[in-house]
Amino acid sequence: MFGYLLNSNNQLFELARQGSLEIPRFHGRTRQKVWECAYPLVAFLYAGLVPILSSFCSAPVILVNLASEQFSEYVLRNPTSSNSPIISSMFLVFSFLPFFLFIWGWLGVLEHRSFWTTGLERTGIWQKYSHGALVGTGMMLSPVVVLAMFGLIQVEVDPLVWAGVAALPGVLIMLVGWLVQGAAEETLSRGFLLPVFGIRYGPIWGILVSSIQFSFLHLLNPNLNLIALINLFLF
């Protein structure tokens, strides 16, 4: 698996090579060479700007949240915080769905290639997606099972938080937002940024830079610490 991933001719890199870096074009060969070398850095900065631009698209949901809570003092201080799974899921959809639009625009204007070259191929899509979902579910369940085996998990009862079977409807509603969020983050980090660096500086650089960028996406997460950042990078 690692041999395939580190191969500069793997499918993701081949898809990325379908485009051509044509804008801007400089008359001088040296200036053009400098631009092509600096292009990955510009793409990295743009990838960091995408979440900021996309966050403005959640403004309508913020208004809905404020109105639903009757503009209470707590919500005015925390406008993106909500106990409603519907509103929380809407936050994720409105905040992350624009990622795809920004990536599509960049690729179309600067690289002249299709959005689908980010690895979102339609051949065998359901088989691949189901396989990925099973692997991802297993990866999330395994540490929980290990912790439970050693008695390191304690179930807390909180009247303000749904738990057990009663939490399933909220989880299913949130799943819509998580699906959009996960796909958007992976498309930006792995589908867009990884091959941009990988086909110019080698796969290892593509993996390292995209992993750093993926970690940076979570800097505003609550209770974030150094261990969490390291785990995000390694994951």
Side-chain angles (χ1 to χ4, degrees):
M1 181 182 72
F2 287 106
Y4 175 76
L5 182 64
L6 297 176
N7 185 346
S8 59
N9 293 318
N10 73 37
Q11 181 69 358
L12 185 60
F13 293 146
E14 288 298 324
L15 289 169
R17 290 191 184 97
Q18 291 182 13
S20 58
L21 186 59
E22 296 185 4
I23 299 178
R25 299 296 291 183
F26 296 104
H27 295 296
R29 187 175 180 179
T30 301
R31 293 176 66 188
Q32 183 65 28
K33 193 69 176 178
V34 169
W35 157 243
E36 291 180 2
C37 291
Y39 173 75
L41 177 59
V42 178
F44 179 80
L45 295 176
Y46 180 76
L49 187 62
V50 165
I52 299 174
L53 296 174
S54 297
S55 65
F56 289 104
C57 298
S58 64
V61 187
I62 291 177
L63 293 176
V64 171
N65 189 36
L66 290 172
S68 66
E69 297 293 333
Q70 299 179 342
F71 297 90
S72 66
E73 182 179 351
Y74 174 78
V75 177
L76 288 172
R77 292 180 178 178
N78 306 275
T80 60
S81 176
S82 174
N83 290 324
S84 166
I86 295 177
I87 293 178
S88 296
S89 188
M90 287 174 61
F91 269 124
L92 293 176
V93 171
F94 276 69
S95 298
F96 287 93
L97 201 59
F99 276 40
F100 302 110
L101 182 62
F102 288 119
I103 295 170
W104 170 75
W106 178 279
L107 294 179
V109 172
L110 289 180
E111 297 196 20
H112 292 190
R113 62 182 169 104
S114 166
F115 171 76
W116 304 107
T117 57
T118 55
L120 297 175
E121 297 180 276
R122 286 162 283 189
T123 304
I125 181 174
W126 295 114
Q127 179 183 358
K128 293 176 182 177
Y129 201 92
S130 300
H131 177 74
L134 287 173
V135 172
T137 301
M139 291 178 71
M140 288 187 288
L141 282 177
S142 56
V144 177
V145 172
V146 171
L147 290 170
M149 288 172 57
F150 288 93
L152 300 174
I153 287 182
Q154 180 179 355
V155 179
E156 297 181 353
V157 179
D158 187 336
L160 299 178
V161 178
W162 294 347
V165 177
L168 286 178
V171 169
L172 292 175
I173 293 172
M174 286 297 298
L175 184 60
V176 176
W178 290 331
L179 288 172
V180 174
Q181 177 191 16
E185 290 181 350
E186 292 302 321
T187 302
L188 182 67
S189 298
R190 251 64 77 164
F192 168 62
L193 201 58
L194 191 155
V196 165
F197 273 84
I199 61 179
R200 289 168 177 83
Y201 300 119
I204 292 179
W205 275 107
I207 294 169
L208 289 175
V209 171
S210 63
S211 298
I212 291 172
Q213 194 268 345
F214 179 79
S215 303
F216 284 177
L217 280 175
H218 299 81
L219 285 178
L220 295 180
N221 283 15
N223 304 316
L224 187 72
N225 56 33
L226 181 59
I227 295 297
L229 273 177
I230 292 173
N231 285 335
L232 284 167
F233 175 81
L234 293 174
F235 190 85

